[in-house]
Amino acid sequence: MRIDIITVLPELLKSPFEASILKRAIEKKLVEVHFHNLRKYSIGNYKQVDDYQFGGGAGMVLMIEPIDKCISELKKEREYDEIIYMTPDGNTLNQGISNEISLKKNIIILCGHYKGVDQRVRDLFITREISIGDYVLSGGELAAAVFCDSIIRLLPGVLNDETSALTDTFQDNLLAPPVYTRPSDYKGHKVPEVLLSGDFPKIEKWREEQAMERTRQRRPDLLK
């Protein structure tokens, strides 16, 4: 999988990809992640990538021309399955979307900034708009990092135990059941006996029941 990220702040984005699971995935060549500084495609001597809104109003808007130049250059090299714009008014990210995008070969992620991008960018280039929640960040960079983490961890070979992602919260529209580790008795707080029994069919049944009950209590909307 190849991910090309267009941003005005590549330095803000890079650190999550230089540690932990994302770093290992890149080192194992399971994914390529490339950062493209939009200012490289800027206009004039001042490297302008944003301007005031037509019609007035507070806040700057990313201009169409630098974004067009960047996307066009990338598309000369390969075909892209999706060009994704991170924006608060996009479709809210969920596990189903992450599962779907993890199967793609090449994607571009455009990070919004300031008051967003010229609407013509969205009309002409964007194939999907994604939000990580009903709140506003200073830019799309942190949202892009969250989104990338959610899809890269699903790629075959990224997690040491490939079945781990299959039992995550939301994979089957249920919250994950409680988990425990050593010691089995900590200051009188004991691990449920069934988990120590070695009876795996009984353990799986317990986990299913716990997942259902936890979902019913915390996220009943998922059961509708």
Side-chain angles (χ1 to χ4, degrees):
M1 183 180 204
R2 178 185 171 109
I3 303 173
D4 288 281
I5 305 176
I6 302 172
T7 169
V8 295
L9 291 172
E11 62 276 9
L12 179 61
L13 254 175
K14 290 181 178 179
S15 61
F17 298 89
E18 295 172 348
S20 190
I21 289 174
L22 301 186
K23 179 183 179 181
R24 292 201 302 269
I26 294 169
E27 289 177 344
K28 291 165 70 174
K29 301 188 184 305
L30 300 172
V31 64
E32 292 182 44
V33 181
H34 300 270
F35 305 97
H36 304 276
N37 192 333
L38 192 59
R39 297 194 185 279
K40 176 183 174 183
Y41 306 90
S42 58
I43 299 169
N45 295 330
Y46 294 101
K47 298 189 177 298
Q48 185 178 5
V49 295
D50 62 335
D51 209 337
Y52 294 102
Q53 303 180 57
F54 280 127
M60 305 293 279
V61 178
L62 289 177
M63 303 162 71
I64 185 172
E65 187 173 345
I67 296 172
D68 183 9
K69 287 180 178 179
C70 184
I71 291 176
S72 296
E73 184 172 297
L74 289 172
K75 290 175 75 173
K76 288 178 184 177
E77 301 294 325
R78 65 194 56 81
E79 292 185 6
Y80 285 90
D81 302 298
E82 297 275 6
I83 301 178
I84 298 166
Y85 176 47
M86 305 304 299
T87 173
D89 60 351
N91 293 324
T92 303
L93 179 63
N94 58 37
Q95 193 62 49
I97 292 174
S98 296
N99 290 346
E100 179 187 351
I101 300 299
S102 72
L103 300 176
K104 307 295 184 181
K105 184 178 181 182
N106 300 311
I107 64 171
I108 292 173
I109 299 175
L110 173 62
C111 300
H113 214 69
Y114 313 117
K115 290 294 287 186
V117 301
D118 187 305
Q119 179 61 38
R120 290 167 291 186
V121 172
R122 303 170 78 163
D123 295 339
L124 296 173
F125 308 119
I126 301 303
T127 63
R128 188 186 293 250
E129 300 184 348
I130 292 178
S131 165
I132 63 166
D134 295 339
Y135 49 89
V136 178
L137 300 173
S138 299
E141 286 77 16
L142 298 179
V146 168
F147 177 51
C148 287
D149 188 296
S150 77
I151 58 179
I152 291 173
R153 66 189 304 280
L154 298 173
L155 300 178
V158 171
L159 299 180
N160 291 331
D161 182 352
E162 293 189 12
T163 64
S164 178
L166 299 178
T167 57
D168 285 339
T169 289
F170 302 124
Q171 278 291 9
D172 51 5
N173 235 33
L174 296 174
L175 302 185
V179 293
Y180 299 86
T181 189
R182 298 176 184 175
S184 60
D185 185 338
Y186 183 70
K187 298 182 178 180
H189 299 278
K190 297 182 179 181
V191 172
E193 287 294 330
V194 64
L195 298 178
L196 308 175
S197 68
D199 187 333
F200 293 106
K202 188 177 292 186
I203 290 171
E204 285 305 307
K205 184 174 184 298
W206 179 87
R207 285 175 172 160
E208 290 172 5
E209 291 171 349
Q210 291 294 313
M212 182 66 72
E213 182 58 29
R214 178 171 282 192
T215 305
R216 186 178 294 111
Q217 290 180 359
R218 302 184 181 190
R219 290 292 304 278
D221 56 295
L222 294 174
L223 300 175
K224 294 180 181 178

